[in-house]
Amino acid sequence: MIEVTGLTKTYGAHRAVDDVTFTARPGRVTGFLGPNGAGKSTTMRMMVGLTPPSAGSATVCGARFTDLPNPPREVGVLLDASAQHAGRTGREILAIAAQTAGLPRTRVDEMLELVSLTSTEAERRVRNYSLGMRQRLGIAVALVGDPEVLVLDEPANGLDPAGIRWMRDLLRGFAQRGGTVLLSSHLLGEIEVVADDLVVIGRGRIVAQGTKAELLASAGTVVAPAEPTDGAALVRALGAAGIVVTRTHDGALSVEAQPREVGRVAHAAGVPLAGLRAADGAGLEEMFLELTADTQRETPAPLRTAGVAA
Amino acid sequence: MSALVTPPAGTAAPGSTPVAGTTVRTPRPDLRRPSFARLVGVEARKTFDTRAGLWLCASIVVLAVVASAAVVLFAPDEALTFETFASAIGIPMAIVLPVLAILSVTSEWSQRSGLGTFTMVPSRGRVIAAKAAVAAVVGVVSMLVAMGVGALGTVVGSALAGTDAVWDSSVSSLVGIVVANLLGMAVGFMLGVLLRSSPAAIVGYFVYSFVVPTLLMTLATFQDWWADLQPWLDFNYAQTSLFDGWPGGEAWAQIGVSSLPWLVLPLLVGLWTLRRSEVK
């Protein structure tokens, strides 16, 4: 269990993290989603005591992280896979972690096997590791104490597709055994596959949170008229029914309503449909882009069409 | 989850073994703060487990041998005494040992390994104290090794020159040299804690030990008030008594007083900022 309450970090006049409150629950994978520079890493550093918060607090396993007697036995942390002494071997870094946590040496080989680092690779110095190998080593260090909670910042970075699949299965398994997982990413697809709950952050503030199902449901419906020329008529009818059209794409419309309601409106307006479905998959991406549209650097192509006024 | 919340200290079962494997999730009665001895063990390991650390320690022995060989080769026969060897070896020691002390602290920031170190052990003060303990032990052992090399040099040098080995250093003066080197390491450690950057702390150390003393000596020749105060306010100057046999009570008092502005105060400031700083 991770409980974050009103966490705030200011650097001078800049509010890097602004009143962030959320809970990551046991048995679930919580995705921490946001564009670059949104405050994900700063929030995570505050959670594990590396950055003193300006306001607010965070507890892990019921206590402040810095009050945990032996943190690696309760919380596995991977904040930056490259933040290791480049001159140490992978095995040595794991051995130091095991020794610090008071674990037997046998734990080192178990962990190397778990993350599929061969003994030859483990004897190499970390400066010669690829980013993917560093991520695997970082996961091994995080898991060495058999913790209850995992806090991972962008763990999928640098992993190949097979590695991403492996990571996903590992985290799902960890949560299924009752563990709490918080992982951050700016890769929507990756988070969408693995997460149960989502916390979306933009420019230091939480812009949405809830279960994945809830957030996807609120992403609305994708509807496509059978005849492209009916598009304007459908938009007008939806507008008259008080339904907001958020986006058009390839002749299809994204609307903020349930499919059942959209179907009724289309039927009443006499517009035949080629497609009508709940937004999914790309729905989260649309939601993400939309939620962070005013907070991210690259504003995507027009989100709101002028169609409603037509 | 509540069963896994930290048990109060002292309730940990002493004989319990850590859980192996990741498939079984059980309560951990053995959750307790890592002992200081364990932290010292970890920090000692980290001192030697990189090439940089290993070579720095090896260089202590190598430089001691090189300095002894140079004395045998170049010093006149009548100067082949233990004191000559000891002071020849002392010069590289006075540089290498403080650098070792600096790097033990700053590498956590320069190499960013501090992210792992301080999430595993959030009480940074204990980690820094463990590092200080390791640095002190390494310093004392290094000095003993260096003196052993110096003694060997005295025996070999006098045998080659056909003279009797001259043991002209008292135990107290040797202890004085060890204390002086430990103070040098303490200064390096302080700069590491205060600056938390390897290049800045190393440059800072050379300025501190080689530039500042010269400036203060120059000041003393022109300003009488400083010449009077210098023994009490110039840390480097106060330490010279350690090289002239065992210091008396007043000399110790001067070392103590002058260490306040030059070592104790900056160390306290460094520790205060280090414990509150952001580890990135």
Side-chain angles (χ1 to χ4, degrees):
Chain A
M1 176 87 94
I2 302 172
E3 286 177 294
V4 174
T5 315
L7 217 47
T8 300
K9 181 68 187 179
T10 54
Y11 296 99
H14 173 58
R15 289 175 93 82
V17 176
D18 191 358
D19 196 22
V20 165
T21 301
F22 67 88
T23 302
R25 291 181 176 80
R28 300 182 74 84
V29 176
T30 302
F32 195 27
L33 199 56
N36 295 328
K40 300 187 297 291
S41 298
T42 307
T43 304
M44 287 177 139
R45 277 207 313 277
M46 285 193 282
M47 287 164 50
V48 300
L50 290 180
T51 292
S54 308
S57 65
T59 62
V60 188
C61 298
R64 285 190 312 173
F65 186 90
T66 47
D67 292 337
L68 296 174
N70 194 359
R73 299 296 309 279
E74 296 184 85
V75 190
V77 182
L78 172 57
L79 292 185
D80 184 344
S82 296
Q84 289 291 359
H85 196 300
R88 294 203 175 102
T89 65
R91 175 183 291 280
E92 178 64 17
I93 285 168
L94 253 177
I96 289 172
Q99 191 179 341
T100 307
L103 297 162
R105 298 186 65 92
T106 51
R107 205 58 195 147
V108 174
D109 287 311
E110 287 170 25
M111 287 298 108
L112 287 173
E113 196 179 337
L114 179 75
V115 301
S116 310
L117 282 176
T118 66
S119 54
T120 330
E121 286 168 335
E123 302 304 332
R124 276 159 62 185
R125 286 169 203 279
V126 168
R127 85 162 49 81
N128 302 317
Y129 276 28
S130 67
L131 182 54
M133 287 165 72
R134 287 175 200 212
Q135 294 285 16
R136 284 174 186 269
L137 178 65
I139 292 286
V141 170
L143 288 171
V144 76
D146 190 20
E148 277 298 305
V149 176
L150 280 179
V151 176
L152 312 172
D153 196 1
E154 306 267 2
N157 263 7
L159 289 176
D160 54 23
I164 290 177
R165 162 72 66 85
W166 164 80
M167 169 85 67
R168 185 191 305 157
D169 294 346
L170 185 97
L171 298 182
R172 282 247 58 89
F174 186 88
Q176 272 160 20
R177 291 191 301 274
T180 307
V181 180
L182 178 70
L183 87 155
S184 77
S185 182
H186 61 269
L187 300 172
L188 304 152
E190 179 49 39
I191 286 255
E192 193 178 8
V193 192
V194 71
D196 304 299
D197 297 322
L198 292 175
V199 177
V200 188
I201 185 173
R203 210 173 276 175
R205 297 190 69 93
I206 289 188
V207 289
Q209 61 177 317
T211 67
K212 186 170 64 177
E214 282 168 10
L215 291 176
L216 286 180
S218 71
T221 300
V222 178
V223 56
E227 305 298 330
T229 48
D230 283 343
L234 183 56
V235 167
R236 237 186 333 267
L238 289 166
I243 295 168
V244 179
V245 179
T246 55
R247 188 172 192 171
T248 59
H249 180 68
D250 288 346
L253 309 174
S254 292
V255 295
E256 288 176 10
Q258 295 303 307
R260 180 190 300 266
E261 197 181 351
V262 177
R264 274 202 204 100
V265 170
H267 180 70
V271 175
L273 297 182
L276 176 67
R277 61 182 171 84
D280 61 1
L284 181 54
E285 181 171 5
E286 279 176 28
M287 182 203 81
F288 176 69
L289 290 173
E290 193 181 321
L291 285 171
T292 59
D294 56 337
T295 62
Q296 71 175 11
R297 291 151 211 273
E298 293 82 28
T299 306
L303 278 169
R304 291 175 189 280
T305 59
V308 179
Chain B
M1 286 296 287
S2 59
L4 292 163
V5 170
T6 317
T11 60
S16 64
T17 50
V19 183
T22 50
T23 49
V24 186
R25 198 162 287 285
T26 52
R28 274 143 249 196
D30 61 336
L31 279 185
R32 63 200 313 181
R33 223 161 67 127
S35 67
F36 189 67
R38 192 202 290 166
L39 295 183
V40 171
V42 168
E43 292 305 327
R45 176 176 194 149
K46 284 158 70 178
T47 307
F48 300 105
D49 72 355
T50 63
R51 273 186 202 155
L54 195 63
W55 280 106
L56 204 54
C57 293
S59 73
I60 291 168
V61 181
V62 172
L63 288 172
V65 172
V66 169
S68 298
V71 171
V72 172
L73 287 176
F74 303 119
D77 288 354
E78 66 273 15
L80 288 176
T81 69
F82 183 69
E83 194 178 348
T84 312
F85 283 97
S87 43
I89 295 169
I91 293 164
M93 291 295 129
I95 294 170
V96 175
L97 289 178
V99 169
L100 193 110
I102 287 170
L103 292 181
S104 77
V105 179
T106 55
S107 69
E108 297 282 3
W109 278 265
S110 302
Q111 295 280 346
R112 303 186 61 221
S113 50
L115 255 76
T117 305
F118 297 123
T119 44
M120 293 232 177
V121 187
S123 40
R124 300 181 193 173
R126 298 182 79 216
V127 175
I128 297 299
K131 286 179 184 293
V134 171
V137 171
V138 169
V140 170
V141 171
S142 301
M143 295 303 295
L144 292 179
V145 169
M147 283 172 184
V149 173
L152 202 66
T154 311
V155 172
V156 172
S158 55
L160 288 176
T163 58
D164 288 333
V166 180
W167 304 100
D168 51 354
S169 293
S170 66
V171 171
S172 62
S173 72
L174 291 179
V175 174
I177 291 171
V178 171
V179 171
N181 272 281
L182 287 179
L183 287 178
M185 291 181 80
V187 167
F189 199 82
M190 174 274 286
L191 289 168
V193 168
L194 190 64
L195 300 172
R196 301 194 290 280
S197 149
S198 306
I202 290 173
V203 170
Y205 180 75
F206 283 102
V207 171
Y208 185 109
S209 345
F210 298 104
V211 179
V212 172
T214 316
L215 293 177
L216 292 180
M217 290 309 283
T218 313
L219 185 64
T221 47
F222 295 116
Q223 298 289 332
D224 288 343
W225 61 269
W226 175 250
D228 295 338
L229 285 175
Q230 196 174 18
W232 293 95
L233 289 179
D234 183 345
F235 191 37
N236 273 297
Y237 184 89
Q239 285 179 60
T240 50
S241 62
L242 286 167
F243 296 98
D244 306 329
W246 195 244
E250 193 190 33
W252 279 118
Q254 288 172 343
I255 291 172
V257 171
S258 61
S259 74
L260 291 177
W262 290 96
L263 176 62
V264 177
L265 200 64
L267 183 62
L268 290 176
V269 171
L271 287 171
W272 192 81
T273 56
L274 184 148
R275 293 179 64 184
R276 277 154 192 79
S277 68
E278 219 179 339
V279 182
K280 284 194 167 179

